[in-house]
Amino acid sequence: MKKLWLYSLLSICLLQGRAQTHLAPTPPMAWMTWNYFGENINEQLIREIADAMHSSGMLQAGYQYLVIDDGWQGGRDNRNNIIPDSKKFPSGMKALADYVHSKGLKLGIYSDAAPLTCAGYTASLHFEEQDAKTFASWGIDYLKYDYCNAPKDSFTAKQRYKTMADALRKSGRDMVFAVCEWGERQPWHWAAAAGGQLWRTTFDIRDSWSSMMGIYEINVQLHAYAGSGRWNDPDMLIVGLGGNKGPSGDLGGTGCTITEYQTNMSLWSMMAAPLIATNDVRQMTQEVKRILMHAGIIAINQDSLGLQAKRIASKDSIDVLLKPLVNGDVAIAILNKSATTQPYALPFASIGLEGRYTVQDVWTGTTTKRSQQWKGSIESHATVVLRLKKE
Ligand code: GLA
Protein backbone atom coordinates (compact mmCIF):
# COMPACT_ATOMS: atom_id res chain seq x y z
CA MET A 1 0.00 0.00 0.00
CA LYS A 2 2.79 2.32 1.06
CA LYS A 3 4.70 1.39 -2.11
CA LEU A 4 1.69 2.15 -4.29
CA TRP A 5 1.23 5.50 -2.62
CA LEU A 6 4.91 6.38 -3.14
CA TYR A 7 4.70 5.25 -6.75
CA SER A 8 1.65 7.48 -7.39
CA LEU A 9 3.37 10.43 -5.76
CA LEU A 10 6.45 9.87 -7.90
CA SER A 11 4.39 9.62 -11.10
CA ILE A 12 2.56 12.85 -10.27
CA CYS A 13 5.88 14.63 -9.68
CA LEU A 14 7.37 13.26 -12.88
CA LEU A 15 4.24 14.16 -14.81
CA GLN A 16 4.24 17.67 -13.43
CA GLY A 17 7.95 18.05 -14.15
CA ARG A 18 7.45 16.80 -17.68
CA ALA A 19 4.45 19.01 -18.27
CA GLN A 20 6.43 22.05 -17.29
CA THR A 21 9.20 21.68 -19.83
CA HIS A 22 8.35 19.40 -22.75
CA LEU A 23 5.93 21.92 -24.26
CA ALA A 24 8.64 24.40 -25.20
CA PRO A 25 12.02 22.65 -25.40
CA THR A 26 13.24 25.60 -27.49
CA PRO A 27 11.87 29.17 -27.32
CA PRO A 28 8.33 29.27 -28.78
CA MET A 29 8.08 30.97 -32.18
CA ALA A 30 4.81 32.71 -32.88
CA TRP A 31 2.91 35.51 -34.48
CA MET A 32 0.61 37.48 -32.17
CA THR A 33 -2.19 39.94 -32.94
CA TRP A 34 -1.66 42.59 -30.28
CA ASN A 35 1.08 45.04 -31.17
CA TYR A 36 -0.20 45.69 -34.68
CA PHE A 37 -3.93 44.93 -34.65
CA GLY A 38 -4.86 45.57 -31.01
CA GLU A 39 -8.55 44.85 -30.50
CA ASN A 40 -9.34 45.08 -34.23
CA ILE A 41 -9.37 41.35 -34.81
CA ASN A 42 -11.85 38.92 -36.33
CA GLU A 43 -11.97 35.44 -37.83
CA GLN A 44 -11.43 36.67 -41.39
CA LEU A 45 -8.21 38.39 -40.33
CA ILE A 46 -6.99 35.30 -38.46
CA ARG A 47 -7.67 33.10 -41.48
CA GLU A 48 -5.80 35.53 -43.73
CA ILE A 49 -2.88 35.62 -41.29
CA ALA A 50 -2.83 31.80 -41.16
CA ASP A 51 -2.77 31.71 -44.97
CA ALA A 52 0.02 34.29 -45.05
CA MET A 53 2.08 32.51 -42.38
CA HIS A 54 1.88 29.45 -44.55
CA SER A 55 2.49 31.04 -47.96
CA SER A 56 5.19 33.53 -46.90
CA GLY A 57 7.40 30.84 -45.39
CA MET A 58 6.95 32.02 -41.77
CA LEU A 59 5.66 28.59 -40.70
CA GLN A 60 8.47 26.78 -42.49
CA ALA A 61 10.95 29.15 -40.83
CA GLY A 62 9.65 27.94 -37.46
CA TYR A 63 6.84 30.36 -36.48
CA GLN A 64 4.47 27.65 -35.37
CA TYR A 65 1.90 29.43 -33.19
CA LEU A 66 -0.68 31.99 -34.23
CA VAL A 67 -1.80 33.70 -31.03
CA ILE A 68 -5.01 35.71 -30.66
CA ASP A 69 -4.36 38.31 -27.97
CA ASP A 70 -6.91 40.42 -26.07
CA GLY A 71 -10.21 41.46 -27.63
CA TRP A 72 -11.66 38.12 -28.82
CA GLN A 73 -14.01 37.58 -25.85
CA GLY A 74 -17.78 38.01 -25.88
CA GLY A 75 -18.55 37.32 -22.20
CA ARG A 76 -20.07 34.09 -20.82
CA ASP A 77 -23.16 32.10 -21.84
CA ASN A 78 -25.91 31.08 -19.41
CA ARG A 79 -23.75 28.16 -18.21
CA ASN A 80 -20.83 30.49 -17.59
CA ASN A 81 -18.84 29.13 -20.50
CA ILE A 82 -16.54 31.78 -21.93
CA ILE A 83 -17.58 32.66 -25.49
CA PRO A 84 -16.03 34.65 -28.33
CA ASP A 85 -17.49 37.94 -29.56
CA SER A 86 -20.09 36.69 -32.05
CA LYS A 87 -19.62 39.66 -34.38
CA LYS A 88 -15.84 39.21 -34.60
CA PHE A 89 -15.88 35.38 -34.56
CA PRO A 90 -19.32 34.29 -35.88
CA SER A 91 -18.15 30.75 -36.75
CA GLY A 92 -16.75 30.17 -33.27
CA MET A 93 -13.28 29.27 -32.05
CA LYS A 94 -13.43 25.54 -32.79
CA ALA A 95 -13.96 26.17 -36.50
CA LEU A 96 -11.17 28.75 -36.48
CA ALA A 97 -8.78 26.39 -34.68
CA ASP A 98 -9.62 23.68 -37.23
CA TYR A 99 -8.75 26.10 -40.02
CA VAL A 100 -5.50 27.21 -38.39
CA HIS A 101 -4.54 23.57 -37.74
CA SER A 102 -5.31 22.68 -41.36
CA LYS A 103 -2.53 25.08 -42.33
CA GLY A 104 -0.09 23.21 -40.08
CA LEU A 105 -0.13 25.96 -37.43
CA LYS A 106 -1.09 25.89 -33.76
CA LEU A 107 -3.55 28.33 -32.22
CA GLY A 108 -3.00 30.43 -29.12
CA ILE A 109 -5.45 32.50 -27.12
CA TYR A 110 -5.39 35.05 -24.31
CA SER A 111 -6.94 35.52 -20.89
CA ASP A 112 -6.16 37.16 -17.56
CA ALA A 113 -5.94 36.13 -13.89
CA ALA A 114 -8.68 38.56 -12.81
CA PRO A 115 -12.35 39.18 -13.63
CA LEU A 116 -11.41 41.43 -16.57
CA THR A 117 -8.47 41.60 -19.00
CA CYS A 118 -6.20 44.58 -19.64
CA ALA A 119 -8.50 45.86 -22.39
CA GLY A 120 -11.57 45.23 -20.17
CA TYR A 121 -12.87 41.94 -21.61
CA THR A 122 -14.12 38.86 -19.70
CA ALA A 123 -11.26 36.98 -18.00
CA SER A 124 -10.74 33.70 -16.16
CA LEU A 125 -10.49 34.26 -12.38
CA HIS A 126 -12.64 31.63 -10.57
CA PHE A 127 -13.40 29.97 -13.93
CA GLU A 128 -9.95 28.48 -14.49
CA GLU A 129 -10.96 24.82 -14.86
CA GLN A 130 -14.02 25.63 -16.91
CA ASP A 131 -12.10 27.94 -19.24
CA ALA A 132 -9.19 25.51 -19.60
CA LYS A 133 -11.70 22.80 -20.60
CA THR A 134 -13.33 25.17 -23.07
CA PHE A 135 -9.96 26.12 -24.59
CA ALA A 136 -9.05 22.43 -24.84
CA SER A 137 -12.38 21.64 -26.51
CA TRP A 138 -11.70 24.33 -29.12
CA GLY A 139 -8.24 22.91 -29.84
CA ILE A 140 -6.19 25.72 -28.33
CA ASP A 141 -2.44 25.04 -28.06
CA TYR A 142 -1.09 28.09 -26.18
CA LEU A 143 -2.45 30.44 -23.52
CA LYS A 144 -1.08 33.91 -22.81
CA TYR A 145 -2.24 34.74 -19.30
CA ASP A 146 -2.13 38.41 -18.35
CA TYR A 147 -2.30 40.08 -14.94
CA CYS A 148 -4.23 43.33 -15.25
CA ASN A 149 -6.85 44.03 -12.55
CA ALA A 150 -5.19 41.63 -10.11
CA PRO A 151 -3.62 42.34 -6.70
CA LYS A 152 -0.02 43.55 -6.63
CA ASP A 153 1.50 40.99 -4.26
CA SER A 154 3.60 38.02 -5.39
CA PHE A 155 1.81 35.44 -3.26
CA THR A 156 -1.50 35.93 -5.06
CA ALA A 157 0.20 36.03 -8.46
CA LYS A 158 1.96 32.71 -7.87
CA GLN A 159 -1.30 31.17 -6.70
CA ARG A 160 -3.35 32.47 -9.62
CA TYR A 161 -0.81 31.36 -12.23
CA LYS A 162 -0.51 27.93 -10.63
CA THR A 163 -4.29 27.54 -10.53
CA MET A 164 -4.51 28.13 -14.27
CA ALA A 165 -1.46 25.98 -15.06
CA ASP A 166 -3.01 23.11 -13.07
CA ALA A 167 -6.32 23.62 -14.85
CA LEU A 168 -4.60 23.47 -18.25
CA ARG A 169 -2.83 20.27 -17.24
CA LYS A 170 -6.10 18.78 -16.02
CA SER A 171 -7.82 19.65 -19.30
CA GLY A 172 -5.86 16.85 -20.93
CA ARG A 173 -4.62 18.99 -23.83
CA ASP A 174 -1.06 20.24 -24.20
CA MET A 175 -1.10 24.04 -24.04
CA VAL A 176 1.96 26.24 -23.67
CA PHE A 177 1.41 28.56 -20.72
CA ALA A 178 2.78 32.09 -21.13
CA VAL A 179 2.95 34.09 -17.91
CA CYS A 180 2.47 37.83 -18.49
CA GLU A 181 2.85 39.93 -15.35
CA TRP A 182 5.52 42.16 -16.93
CA GLY A 183 8.36 41.12 -14.61
CA GLU A 184 6.84 43.08 -11.73
CA ARG A 185 7.09 40.20 -9.28
CA GLN A 186 10.33 38.70 -10.67
CA PRO A 187 8.61 35.70 -12.30
CA TRP A 188 12.00 34.27 -13.31
CA HIS A 189 12.16 33.02 -9.70
CA TRP A 190 8.77 31.28 -9.62
CA ALA A 191 6.89 31.10 -12.95
CA ALA A 192 8.42 27.79 -14.06
CA ALA A 193 7.49 26.14 -10.77
CA ALA A 194 3.99 27.59 -11.10
CA GLY A 195 3.70 25.83 -14.48
CA GLY A 196 4.73 28.42 -17.07
CA GLN A 197 7.07 27.79 -19.99
CA LEU A 198 7.76 31.49 -20.57
CA TRP A 199 7.29 34.69 -18.64
CA ARG A 200 7.36 38.31 -19.64
CA THR A 201 10.27 40.11 -18.01
CA THR A 202 9.25 43.69 -18.81
CA PHE A 203 6.44 46.07 -19.64
CA ASP A 204 5.12 46.24 -23.20
CA ILE A 205 7.59 46.91 -25.99
CA ARG A 206 7.06 49.90 -28.28
CA ASP A 207 8.19 50.36 -31.83
CA SER A 208 11.25 52.46 -30.97
CA TRP A 209 14.98 52.09 -30.41
CA SER A 210 14.79 53.39 -26.83
CA SER A 211 12.06 50.92 -25.87
CA MET A 212 14.00 48.04 -27.44
CA MET A 213 17.17 49.03 -25.57
CA GLY A 214 15.35 49.49 -22.23
CA ILE A 215 13.87 46.01 -22.50
CA TYR A 216 17.13 44.45 -23.69
CA GLU A 217 18.93 45.96 -20.68
CA ILE A 218 16.55 44.23 -18.24
CA ASN A 219 16.32 40.91 -20.06
CA VAL A 220 20.03 40.48 -20.76
CA GLN A 221 20.73 40.34 -17.03
CA LEU A 222 18.41 37.36 -16.54
CA HIS A 223 20.41 34.81 -18.54
CA ALA A 224 20.81 32.46 -15.57
CA TYR A 225 17.06 31.82 -15.36
CA ALA A 226 16.48 30.61 -18.93
CA GLY A 227 16.78 27.03 -20.10
CA SER A 228 14.95 24.38 -22.04
CA GLY A 229 11.23 24.69 -21.24
CA ARG A 230 11.67 27.94 -19.29
CA TRP A 231 12.23 31.19 -21.13
CA ASN A 232 12.59 34.88 -20.35
CA ASP A 233 10.16 36.73 -22.64
CA PRO A 234 11.18 40.32 -23.44
CA ASP A 235 7.89 40.79 -25.37
CA MET A 236 7.14 40.69 -29.09
CA LEU A 237 9.55 41.45 -31.90
CA ILE A 238 8.88 44.88 -33.35
CA VAL A 239 10.45 43.92 -36.70
CA GLY A 240 8.34 45.22 -39.55
CA LEU A 241 5.97 47.41 -37.56
CA GLY A 242 7.35 50.50 -39.29
CA GLY A 243 5.78 52.89 -36.79
CA ASN A 244 2.50 52.29 -38.55
CA LYS A 245 -0.26 51.59 -36.08
CA GLY A 246 -1.41 49.48 -33.17
CA PRO A 247 -0.57 49.63 -29.45
CA SER A 248 3.19 49.47 -30.04
CA GLY A 249 2.88 52.79 -31.88
CA ASP A 250 1.77 54.52 -28.65
CA LEU A 251 4.06 56.54 -26.45
CA GLY A 252 6.69 57.39 -29.04
CA GLY A 253 6.61 54.12 -30.95
CA THR A 254 7.35 55.86 -34.23
CA GLY A 255 9.32 53.06 -35.82
CA CYS A 256 12.88 51.85 -36.26
CA THR A 257 15.34 51.57 -39.13
CA ILE A 258 15.95 48.24 -40.83
CA THR A 259 19.33 48.11 -39.05
CA GLU A 260 17.56 48.51 -35.70
CA TYR A 261 14.99 45.84 -36.54
CA GLN A 262 17.86 43.52 -37.44
CA THR A 263 19.36 44.28 -34.01
CA ASN A 264 16.01 43.39 -32.43
CA MET A 265 16.11 39.99 -34.15
CA SER A 266 19.80 39.51 -33.30
CA LEU A 267 19.48 40.30 -29.60
CA TRP A 268 16.24 38.38 -29.08
CA SER A 269 17.80 35.35 -30.82
CA MET A 270 20.96 35.56 -28.72
CA MET A 271 18.87 35.89 -25.55
CA ALA A 272 16.96 32.70 -26.44
CA ALA A 273 13.81 34.79 -26.30
CA PRO A 274 10.51 33.55 -27.66
CA LEU A 275 10.38 34.95 -31.21
CA ILE A 276 6.91 36.46 -31.42
CA ALA A 277 6.32 38.55 -34.53
CA THR A 278 3.38 40.96 -34.57
CA ASN A 279 3.59 42.70 -37.97
CA ASP A 280 1.17 42.40 -40.86
CA VAL A 281 2.46 39.15 -42.36
CA ARG A 282 0.13 39.61 -45.34
CA GLN A 283 2.29 42.42 -46.64
CA MET A 284 5.92 42.04 -45.63
CA THR A 285 8.72 43.78 -47.49
CA GLN A 286 11.69 41.70 -48.67
CA GLU A 287 13.80 43.28 -45.91
CA VAL A 288 11.34 42.31 -43.18
CA LYS A 289 11.09 38.77 -44.57
CA ARG A 290 14.88 38.51 -44.69
CA ILE A 291 15.15 39.49 -41.02
CA LEU A 292 12.27 37.47 -39.60
CA MET A 293 13.01 34.32 -41.56
CA HIS A 294 16.81 34.25 -41.47
CA ALA A 295 17.66 30.57 -41.02
CA GLY A 296 21.09 31.19 -39.49
CA ILE A 297 19.86 33.59 -36.83
CA ILE A 298 16.83 31.40 -36.04
CA ALA A 299 19.17 28.41 -35.62
CA ILE A 300 21.00 30.34 -32.88
CA ASN A 301 17.71 31.16 -31.14
CA GLN A 302 16.44 27.59 -31.44
CA ASP A 303 19.71 25.91 -30.48
CA SER A 304 18.89 22.79 -28.50
CA LEU A 305 21.34 23.57 -25.71
CA GLY A 306 18.78 26.20 -24.68
CA LEU A 307 21.15 28.74 -23.16
CA GLN A 308 20.50 32.47 -23.06
CA ALA A 309 23.52 34.54 -24.09
CA LYS A 310 25.55 36.12 -21.34
CA ARG A 311 26.78 39.69 -21.71
CA ILE A 312 30.54 39.36 -21.32
CA ALA A 313 31.56 42.95 -22.04
CA SER A 314 29.91 46.36 -22.02
CA LYS A 315 32.17 49.33 -22.63
CA ASP A 316 32.04 52.55 -24.66
CA SER A 317 28.60 51.77 -26.14
CA ILE A 318 29.68 48.32 -27.32
CA ASP A 319 28.14 45.20 -25.79
CA VAL A 320 29.46 41.71 -26.45
CA LEU A 321 27.18 38.70 -25.86
CA LEU A 322 28.20 35.05 -25.88
CA LYS A 323 25.89 32.07 -26.34
CA PRO A 324 27.29 28.54 -26.21
CA LEU A 325 25.65 26.26 -28.80
CA VAL A 326 25.45 22.49 -29.32
CA ASN A 327 28.52 20.65 -30.58
CA GLY A 328 30.84 23.20 -29.04
CA ASP A 329 29.94 26.03 -31.45
CA VAL A 330 29.69 29.52 -29.99
CA ALA A 331 27.57 32.51 -31.07
CA ILE A 332 28.89 35.99 -30.41
CA ALA A 333 27.02 39.25 -30.89
CA ILE A 334 28.64 42.67 -30.93
CA LEU A 335 26.15 45.51 -30.51
CA ASN A 336 26.93 49.15 -31.22
CA LYS A 337 24.56 51.24 -29.08
CA SER A 338 26.13 54.56 -30.09
CA ALA A 339 24.90 57.05 -32.69
CA THR A 340 28.03 56.66 -34.86
CA THR A 341 29.88 53.88 -36.64
CA GLN A 342 32.48 52.27 -34.37
CA PRO A 343 35.64 50.33 -35.22
CA TYR A 344 36.02 47.23 -33.06
CA ALA A 345 38.42 44.35 -32.65
CA LEU A 346 37.65 41.22 -30.68
CA PRO A 347 40.58 38.82 -30.18
CA PHE A 348 38.79 35.58 -29.33
CA ALA A 349 41.41 34.65 -26.74
CA SER A 350 40.39 37.77 -24.80
CA ILE A 351 37.03 36.11 -24.11
CA GLY A 352 38.46 32.72 -23.31
CA LEU A 353 38.25 31.26 -26.81
CA GLU A 354 41.75 30.01 -27.52
CA GLY A 355 42.82 28.51 -30.84
CA ARG A 356 41.54 29.01 -34.36
CA TYR A 357 37.97 29.09 -35.59
CA THR A 358 35.93 28.99 -38.73
CA VAL A 359 33.89 32.16 -38.31
CA GLN A 360 30.61 32.78 -40.04
CA ASP A 361 29.16 36.29 -40.08
CA VAL A 362 25.59 35.10 -39.68
CA TRP A 363 23.80 38.03 -41.37
CA THR A 364 26.13 38.37 -44.37
CA GLY A 365 26.91 34.68 -44.69
CA THR A 366 30.65 35.40 -45.14
CA THR A 367 32.91 32.70 -43.71
CA THR A 368 36.54 33.13 -42.64
CA LYS A 369 38.80 30.21 -41.78
CA ARG A 370 41.59 29.89 -39.22
CA SER A 371 40.50 33.06 -37.42
CA GLN A 372 41.66 34.18 -34.02
CA GLN A 373 39.76 37.46 -33.94
CA TRP A 374 37.01 39.58 -35.47
CA LYS A 375 37.88 43.06 -36.61
CA GLY A 376 35.73 45.58 -38.45
CA SER A 377 33.47 48.56 -38.08
CA ILE A 378 29.95 48.40 -36.81
CA GLU A 379 27.29 50.80 -38.01
CA SER A 380 25.31 52.81 -35.45
CA HIS A 381 22.68 50.58 -33.75
CA ALA A 382 23.82 47.53 -35.70
CA THR A 383 24.67 44.10 -34.29
CA VAL A 384 27.25 41.78 -35.80
CA VAL A 385 26.44 38.14 -35.09
CA LEU A 386 29.18 35.52 -35.47
CA ARG A 387 29.04 31.74 -35.31
CA LEU A 388 32.35 30.16 -34.39
CA LYS A 389 33.35 26.57 -35.01
CA LYS A 390 36.58 25.32 -33.49
CA GLU A 391 39.09 24.03 -36.04
C1 GLA B 1 -1.01 43.87 -21.66
C2 GLA B 1 0.04 42.91 -22.23
C3 GLA B 1 0.09 43.08 -23.74
C4 GLA B 1 -1.29 42.79 -24.33
C5 GLA B 1 -2.35 43.69 -23.70
C6 GLA B 1 -3.76 43.30 -24.10
O1 GLA B 1 -0.63 45.19 -21.82
O2 GLA B 1 1.29 43.16 -21.65
O3 GLA B 1 1.06 42.25 -24.32
O4 GLA B 1 -1.60 41.44 -24.13
O5 GLA B 1 -2.27 43.64 -22.28
O6 GLA B 1 -4.73 44.08 -23.52
Side-chain angles (χ1 to χ4, degrees):
M1 189 63 194
K2 203 171 172 188
K3 254 190 186 162
L4 191 69
W5 183 84
L6 265 174
Y7 178 75
S8 321
L9 190 72
L10 190 69
S11 330
I12 290 169
C13 292
L14 285 174
L15 197 71
Q16 294 212 344
R18 195 183 79 94
Q20 283 169 14
T21 57
H22 79 288
L23 292 173
T26 59
M29 290 177 67
W31 178 91
M32 197 174 270
T33 51
W34 187 255
N35 274 359
Y36 189 78
F37 292 102
E39 293 164 64
N40 301 318
I41 51 174
N42 57 57
E43 64 182 38
Q44 182 58 25
L45 172 75
I46 301 302
R47 281 167 185 255
E48 286 177 20
I49 295 289
D51 292 348
M53 285 180 77
H54 189 262
S55 63
S56 65
M58 285 288 279
L59 170 63
Q60 290 76 358
Y63 296 86
Q64 202 188 358
Y65 293 94
L66 191 172
V67 183
I68 303 175
D69 206 294
D70 208 353
W72 63 269
Q73 309 86 333
R76 294 188 181 275
D77 67 11
N78 55 13
R79 290 191 191 148
N80 278 328
N81 292 314
I82 196 159
I83 49 172
D85 180 318
S86 61
K87 283 208 189 73
K88 292 176 176 173
F89 298 92
S91 317
M93 285 300 176
K94 171 82 174 78
L96 191 54
D98 288 348
Y99 186 81
V100 168
H101 290 153
S102 78
K103 295 282 163 184
L105 290 154
K106 293 182 171 177
L107 186 64
I109 212 159
Y110 165 99
S111 194
D112 187 295
L116 294 177
T117 68
C118 295
Y121 294 83
T122 301
S124 296
L125 184 66
H126 303 317
F127 292 97
E128 290 88 351
E129 285 202 8
Q130 194 173 348
D131 288 359
K133 268 194 205 142
T134 302
F135 298 152
S137 76
W138 290 342
I140 297 296
D141 307 292
Y142 179 117
L143 176 67
K144 172 175 175 180
Y145 207 47
D146 220 331
Y147 206 65
C148 281
N149 308 308
K152 284 242 166 277
D153 66 283
S154 305
F155 182 78
T156 309
K158 288 177 200 171
Q159 242 181 6
R160 289 191 183 186
Y161 277 103
K162 185 171 184 314
T163 304
M164 186 43 113
D166 290 348
L168 292 177
R169 209 172 286 133
K170 245 175 120 176
S171 79
R173 187 175 173 86
D174 275 350
M175 288 183 250
V176 169
F177 189 43
V179 170
C180 179
E181 58 75 78
W182 327 290
E184 277 199 332
R185 284 147 286 260
Q186 306 192 319
W188 43 91
H189 289 303
W190 53 264
Q197 287 78 44
L198 60 156
W199 47 85
R200 282 273 299 275
T201 54
T202 69
F203 283 109
D204 295 8
I205 196 164
R206 305 289 165 182
D207 187 9
S208 73
W209 174 251
S210 62
S211 168
M212 188 206 303
M213 282 299 101
I215 284 181
Y216 156 72
E217 194 52 49
I218 296 169
N219 201 73
V220 77
Q221 298 178 38
L222 300 171
H223 64 92
Y225 301 99
S228 184
R230 36 177 305 146
W231 310 106
N232 291 312
D233 173 9
D235 204 6
M236 291 165 249
L237 294 164
I238 51 176
V239 180
L241 284 171
N244 281 331
K245 62 170 185 178
S248 67
D250 297 346
L251 305 171
T254 49
C256 294
T257 64
I258 282 293
T259 301
E260 291 168 344
Y261 286 141
Q262 191 163 302
T263 279
N264 184 205
M265 187 72 182
S266 305
L267 297 178
W268 267 228
S269 294
M270 290 293 292
M271 295 192 294
L275 296 179
I276 306 177
T278 184
N279 59 323
D280 190 345
V281 280
R282 296 168 304 177
Q283 38 188 350
M284 289 189 277
T285 63
Q286 284 308 321
E287 282 293 62
V288 168
K289 282 187 183 171
R290 180 183 63 79
I291 295 172
L292 285 177
M293 293 189 241
H294 195 285
I297 204 81
I298 291 174
I300 290 174
N301 174 263
Q302 293 290 303
D303 186 83
S304 59
L305 211 53
L307 296 176
Q308 175 171 331
K310 188 174 176 183
R311 180 162 57 188
I312 53 169
S314 184
K315 195 168 172 259
D316 301 334
S317 309
I318 302 278
D319 278 13
V320 180
L321 308 187
L322 189 143
K323 183 182 196 300
L325 306 172
V326 277
N327 302 327
D329 284 11
V330 176
I332 295 173
I334 313 170
L335 158 69
N336 175 7
K337 296 186 279 189
S338 81
T340 53
T341 299
Q342 300 288 333
Y344 197 73
L346 182 70
F348 299 141
S350 73
I351 53 171
L353 300 171
E354 306 287 347
R356 292 179 184 271
Y357 294 83
T358 299
V359 178
Q360 188 196 32
D361 180 320
V362 176
W363 286 110
T364 65
T366 323
T367 301
T368 322
K369 290 202 179 282
R370 301 193 56 74
S371 278
Q372 288 179 295
Q373 65 164 350
W374 182 87
K375 201 173 168 189
S377 53
I378 312 166
E379 220 188 296
S380 162
H381 295 180
T383 304
V384 171
V385 181
L386 308 171
R387 185 175 183 127
L388 274 61
K389 191 174 266 312
K390 186 102 198 241
E391 289 179 1

